[in-house]
Amino acid sequence: MKKIILISVLAIGLIVTGMISKNGIIPKTNSNKNESYSNKKINKDKSDTINLNDSISIIGVGDMMLGTNFPSESYLPPEDGKNILTPVKQIIENADISFGNLEGAILSGSGTVKTCSNPAVCYAFKMPNHYVNYFKDAGFDILSIANNHVSDFGDKGKENTVKMLESMEIKYAGLLNYPYTTFEKNGIKYGFCAFAPNNGTVDINDSDNAAKIVKQLNSTCDIVIVSFHGGAEGSSKSHLTRSDELFLGENRGNPYQFARTVIDAGADIVFGHGPHVTRAIDIYKGKFIAYSMGNFATYGRFNLKGICGIAPIIKLFVNKKGDFLSGNIYATKQVGEGGPIIDDEKTVIKEIINLTKSDVPESQIMLDENGVISKK
């Protein structure tokens, strides 16, 4: 009887031990299991972190004119514009480098306003001096000043714009006196240059000079970013023509060919703007191109109806050679008098998908409905 009891106890003990082991509550056994699983997770996280650290994030947006005090201060936004970029600030500031086009002068005082042969299609923009703080606070590192509004208030307007940008340590380029800039951030040396078809700016139609500038930057910099203000304007001008585009008698360049010219010369990223509508995206020789990023933050004096009121925030990830790795598009829109807000319907993403399929069907770039950019 004692033997039977002893055998039964031993058997029950073995069964319980097995059950405990199987259910994972014996400290020694499961400590090893958990440690192994934990290490795998840590290693994976480390790998992801290394990949992220090895890449560089660069954001690009289109035209920005945050309100003008000319011809009247009534064209300035509510609360003096201090919150106009707040809805997109968390995105803009979350990148190694953030870029946009400064569509107008920064000038509180008076200047010599440009003369217009046809006032019906002619506007002059100048933002008060303190508006430069809004760009800095939102996270912008680089602004293009190569466009058709930088000279709206003559030399005084241009000189003050440069002064204000320098006071905030925002990099800029695009005027004949300031064709390019170089700077270093987090151990990466960047080169930036900007082009437009307008007087006083570095000419988008002078391909040889553009290539020369880019080659010079490429010889000394790790990553070269090129901006251009080009292409015809308006809601009917969202498609690439792959030829010179004219608007109001002015040759606004051939954005398709220009992008390839500067990439052949050593550009790593090409950000376009000027048509006031969004255009296709592309990849050429492993380098990213946005042909136009539309009206991003344009208050009070712009047509924001339909496709003129939607714009992307394009966030790219590139390696240290500037090669495109991946990206995301955040959809924004402007309603009423303007100012960017997030567009939950992602209208601009749908627009870019359609334009890219239509205008550069051979491109090796893909964009999905969630805004993820990848290579085919």
Side-chain angles (χ1 to χ4, degrees):
M1 186 68 176
K2 287 182 179 179
K3 286 183 178 180
I4 293 171
I5 292 171
L6 182 59
I7 291 169
S8 298
V9 170
L10 289 171
I12 291 169
L14 289 170
I15 291 168
V16 171
T17 302
M19 288 175 65
I20 292 172
S21 298
K22 186 175 181 181
N23 286 304
I25 56 175
I26 294 180
K28 185 175 181 180
T29 303
N30 282 303
S31 173
N32 290 336
K33 273 190 177 180
N34 288 340
E35 185 179 0
S36 174
Y37 177 69
S38 177
N39 284 341
K40 285 180 183 177
K41 287 198 74 174
I42 289 171
N43 290 337
K44 183 177 185 298
D45 291 344
K46 280 183 178 178
S47 175
D48 289 346
T49 302
I50 289 170
N51 289 337
L52 185 60
N53 287 341
D54 281 349
S55 70
I56 297 161
S57 57
I58 298 175
I59 279 177
V61 300
D63 296 337
M64 295 189 291
M65 199 289 291
L66 305 185
T68 178
N69 56 16
F70 179 90
S72 165
E73 290 190 355
S74 66
Y75 291 109
L76 294 175
E79 297 182 306
D80 198 24
K82 64 181 180 181
N83 296 316
I84 193 167
L85 295 173
T86 300
V88 294
K89 172 180 165 65
Q90 287 188 327
I91 300 173
I92 300 299
E93 66 184 2
N94 188 26
D96 292 307
I97 298 293
S98 288
F99 159 85
N101 175 52
L102 179 60
E103 186 87 339
I106 299 176
L107 179 65
S108 288
S110 61
T112 304
V113 65
K114 67 184 179 183
T115 56
C116 300
S117 57
N118 183 3
V121 293
C122 181
Y123 296 89
F125 304 137
K126 67 183 184 77
M127 290 156 271
N129 286 354
H130 61 278
Y131 275 41
V132 73
N133 293 287
Y134 304 158
F135 294 112
K136 183 68 174 182
D137 182 63
F140 285 101
D141 303 283
I142 313 172
L143 295 178
S144 168
I145 53 174
N147 54 65
N148 54 314
H149 287 287
V150 68
S151 298
D152 282 357
F153 290 86
D155 290 340
K156 184 176 181 180
K158 287 185 286 190
E159 290 167 4
N160 196 71
T161 299
V162 166
K163 178 182 176 182
M164 291 297 101
L165 293 176
E166 288 184 345
S167 73
M168 290 290 106
E169 298 184 341
I170 296 174
K171 306 302 179 183
Y172 59 89
L175 298 180
L176 292 176
N177 292 338
Y178 308 99
Y180 63 86
T181 187
T182 62
F183 60 98
E184 192 167 316
K185 185 176 181 181
N186 298 330
I188 301 295
K189 187 172 183 181
Y190 296 90
F192 171 66
C193 53
F195 303 84
N198 312 107
N199 290 335
T201 65
V202 187
D203 191 0
I204 188 176
N205 292 308
D206 188 344
S207 298
D208 290 341
N209 184 53
K212 180 181 177 181
I213 291 171
V214 172
K215 285 178 181 177
Q216 181 178 342
L217 291 174
N218 188 47
S219 69
T220 60
C221 299
D222 300 306
I223 292 179
V224 177
I225 302 169
V226 174
S227 160
F228 72 85
H229 201 70
E233 294 185 17
S235 59
S236 64
K237 305 299 181 183
S238 57
H239 288 282
L240 289 170
T241 66
R242 303 198 185 196
S243 60
D244 286 348
E245 299 185 28
L246 303 180
F247 184 71
L248 299 177
E250 182 179 54
N251 185 348
R252 296 287 185 97
N254 178 344
Y256 180 86
Q257 186 55 53
F258 176 82
R260 279 153 176 74
T261 296
V262 293
I263 288 174
D264 286 339
D268 297 301
I269 297 169
V270 181
F271 285 136
H273 38 85
H276 296 296
V277 289
T278 300
R279 289 185 170 188
I281 59 174
D282 200 357
I283 191 167
Y284 172 68
K285 294 186 175 179
K287 310 298 185 180
F288 181 85
I289 305 166
Y291 290 108
S292 177
M293 297 181 288
N295 292 323
F296 175 64
T298 48
Y299 184 84
R301 302 286 280 165
F302 288 72
N303 172 19
L304 300 178
K305 295 178 181 178
I307 60 173
C308 295
I310 58 174
I313 299 173
I314 299 177
K315 184 173 184 178
L316 304 175
F317 293 93
V318 299
N319 63 21
K320 292 181 180 179
K321 295 181 180 179
D323 298 319
F324 172 78
L325 299 175
S326 65
N328 292 91
I329 290 180
Y330 301 88
T332 72
K333 63 182 179 180
Q334 297 190 84
V335 296
E337 292 296 304
I341 60 173
I342 298 300
D343 178 13
D344 292 332
E345 295 182 2
K346 303 179 180 178
T347 310
V348 77
I349 294 173
K350 299 169 189 173
E351 176 76 356
I352 296 173
I353 289 173
N354 291 333
L355 289 170
T356 301
K357 288 179 179 178
S358 169
D359 294 359
V360 283
E362 75 281 8
S363 180
Q364 293 301 301
I365 204 161
M366 293 192 302
L367 173 63
D368 72 17
E369 60 185 10
N370 293 312
V372 176
I373 313 171
S374 59
K375 293 182 286 188
K376 290 182 181 177

